[in-house]
Amino acid sequence: MTLPAKDALVASLAKHAETLAAAASMQVNGATPTDMDSTIRELLSRSSELLRGAATLGHDGNATSLEVLARVLLENLILVLWVQVDATHPDHLKQAASAELARMMRVNLGAGKARILNRETGEDATAEFLAESRFKNLPRRMSVEERAKQAGVEDLYNVFYRALSMGVHG
């Protein structure tokens, strides 16, 4: 079996990036996009940017970084498929992003890497801020594996995502 030349692969990545960008901005009969449509467009746009980066890395022959990007692209594909399964999934994805941001704030504020100051007094208000209810009982982030199962693409996860994860986690 003869493998395609590097330049042909790089050109293919760039072409697919353009195709995804076009799909992300496509208008359908002037209809207002649903939450699902908007979320999928955002994911397609992100995938387009990742593919553009992959084309650049491929041109430079950076195989290790390409492996990491392949994993991220596959995760994005799983997200697109998962979002389409249920009309509530786009909202779940937004809530998960908010919860992850709150978790990041809680960890960094708790570790003293950042502070919250009272605007009026200038005093440290970090402890009071962290005591607020928004930081209690943050929902657990759904794993890529669970999303793949719900989207009916568990085989994609088990065969490809797990293999690509070795390049990220060793």
Side-chain angles (χ1 to χ4, degrees), residues 13-68:
L13 288 171
K15 182 180 184 298
H16 283 85
E18 290 173 9
T19 302
L20 284 173
S25 61
M26 189 181 301
Q27 297 299 317
V28 182
N29 298 330
T32 303
T34 64
D35 284 345
M36 185 181 292
D37 294 332
S38 297
T39 301
I40 290 171
R41 287 171 193 257
E42 288 172 23
L43 292 168
L44 291 177
S45 180
R46 181 174 191 256
S47 292
S48 172
E49 290 299 309
L50 290 166
L51 273 176
R52 281 185 345 104
T56 300
L57 291 168
H59 180 33
D60 293 342
N62 192 331
T64 302
S65 294
L66 280 170
E67 182 180 16
V68 173

Side-chain angles (χ1 to χ4, degrees), residues 1-165:
M1 177 171 109
T2 305
L3 294 175
K6 178 177 84 170
D7 289 343
L9 290 172
V10 168
S12 177
L13 288 171
K15 182 180 184 298
H16 283 85
E18 290 173 9
T19 302
L20 284 173
S25 61
M26 189 181 301
Q27 297 299 317
V28 182
N29 298 330
T32 303
T34 64
D35 284 345
M36 185 181 292
D37 294 332
S38 297
T39 301
I40 290 171
R41 287 171 193 257
E42 288 172 23
L43 292 168
L44 291 177
S45 180
R46 181 174 191 256
S47 292
S48 172
E49 290 299 309
L50 290 166
L51 273 176
R52 281 185 345 104
T56 300
L57 291 168
H59 180 33
D60 293 342
N62 192 331
T64 302
S65 294
L66 280 170
E67 182 180 16
V68 173
L69 276 180
R71 179 179 181 260
V72 175
L73 282 162
L74 182 55
E75 185 170 342
N76 245 32
L77 172 62
I78 291 168
L79 268 176
V80 167
L81 297 171
W82 177 78
V83 163
Q84 294 179 63
V85 169
D86 188 315
T88 64
H89 284 177
D91 192 49
H92 286 283
L93 197 57
K94 288 176 189 169
Q95 289 174 12
S98 295
E100 199 59 33
L101 181 60
R103 188 174 287 104
M104 181 177 64
M105 289 174 59
R106 183 178 66 192
V107 167
N108 285 297
L109 288 168
K113 304 295 181 194
R115 294 183 302 151
I116 301 294
L117 299 178
N118 182 310
R119 287 185 189 190
E120 294 173 8
T121 65
E123 292 180 15
D124 189 329
T126 304
E128 297 87 46
F129 186 76
L130 287 173
E132 292 179 9
S133 63
R134 73 175 113 188
F135 295 107
K136 307 285 188 235
N137 303 316
L138 293 172
R140 179 185 66 82
R141 182 177 177 177
M142 184 181 291
S143 70
V144 177
E145 182 176 16
E146 183 59 30
R147 286 188 176 128
K149 285 178 185 176
Q150 289 184 13
V153 292
E154 189 175 3
D155 287 347
L156 271 180
Y157 179 87
N158 286 325
V159 174
F160 297 104
Y161 191 85
R162 285 184 189 277
L164 291 168
S165 292

